[in-house]
Amino acid sequence: QRQGKLGGVYASWRVYKGKGAINVFIRPPQWTVGLGNALFLEKEGGITLEFAESDPKAQRSYKWGEKTLFCLSVPEMGSILSLQHGESLEFYHDPNKGSSSPGKVQSKILRFQPANAAGSLDYFLSLESRQADKTQRVRVPLTPGEIAVFRELIRYSLPRILGADRVLDSAFNSLQIPEAM
């Protein structure tokens, strides 16, 4: 039996395919203690996608040491939830946007695209990462079941990422019930 303070709780969901793999994990929001010992949301949480290419030297092995990260914003999560069958999405992240060198140091493009087969319910989730003179592309096919799991993970996590669950729990727990007269 372990004793002492728990260092954190982590959970992830992974999809392994022939040419690549994806690891999806949730980052909880960060809180700060403010006036009256109340908790205030310091930074909203998020959902991070880790992409890894398969290792051509070993079967069913992936290059997690060379993984590429993409952190979904709250509006991007909403776009994924509202995606209709046959539609595609593309999200562009550039850490140097607004500077004198946008797109030159590193940029990432996440694509959520339907498979080419007519009537297919499958999608591809792909990430293109450009860093200096190197471009990395990882493409992971998703089945309808995997898409459902991904969307449900977003749907369940979204209010918690924004801290709404804590606000509603604390509001309910701090209610004063008047005494009967």
Side-chain angles (χ1 to χ4, degrees):
Q1 182 179 6
R2 292 180 60 187
Q3 292 185 348
K5 187 177 179 187
L6 188 62
V9 178
Y10 302 95
S12 66
W13 174 62
R14 288 186 177 183
V15 176
Y16 299 96
K17 298 295 172 119
K19 295 191 181 215
I22 183 172
N23 182 31
V24 180
F25 67 91
I26 303 163
R27 290 177 295 103
Q30 295 174 6
W31 300 90
T32 186
V33 178
L35 220 52
N37 250 3
L39 281 179
F40 291 90
L41 183 66
E42 185 175 316
K43 184 178 179 184
E44 62 188 34
I47 292 183
T48 300
L49 310 175
E50 295 178 329
F51 286 82
E53 293 177 307
S54 62
D55 187 348
K57 298 175 187 169
Q59 189 177 11
R60 297 191 153 253
S61 181
Y62 300 88
K63 299 178 183 179
W64 289 108
E66 299 172 23
K67 67 187 172 196
T68 305
L69 303 177
F70 194 95
C71 299
L72 291 170
S73 68
V74 169
E76 290 167 343
M77 290 180 228
S79 294
I80 291 170
L81 289 176
S82 64
L83 185 69
Q84 299 298 311
H85 174 67
E87 293 179 339
S88 60
L89 289 173
E90 184 173 289
F91 305 122
Y92 181 77
H93 287 193
D94 180 0
N96 292 319
K97 185 178 180 180
S99 72
S100 60
S101 59
K104 291 186 179 175
V105 177
Q106 182 179 19
S107 63
K108 297 175 186 177
I109 302 171
L110 179 72
R111 292 184 179 95
F112 200 75
Q113 300 170 299
N116 291 336
S120 173
L121 297 176
D122 294 344
Y123 268 80
F124 287 105
L125 189 57
S126 61
L127 181 66
E128 181 177 309
S129 177
R130 299 178 189 144
Q131 193 166 7
D133 60 350
K134 181 184 173 191
T135 300
Q136 178 188 21
R137 289 180 184 89
V138 181
R139 187 169 149 165
V140 179
L142 297 177
T143 66
E146 291 163 339
I147 294 166
V149 170
F150 184 49
R151 290 173 71 156
E152 194 58 36
L153 185 62
I154 293 172
R155 187 175 286 110
Y156 179 82
S157 303
L158 199 51
R160 291 155 182 84
I161 286 169
L162 295 170
D165 62 321
R166 296 287 295 268
V167 170
L168 295 174
D169 261 357
S170 63
F172 178 75
N173 291 331
S174 65
L175 286 177
Q176 297 292 322
I177 301 172
E179 292 184 25
M181 296 190 168

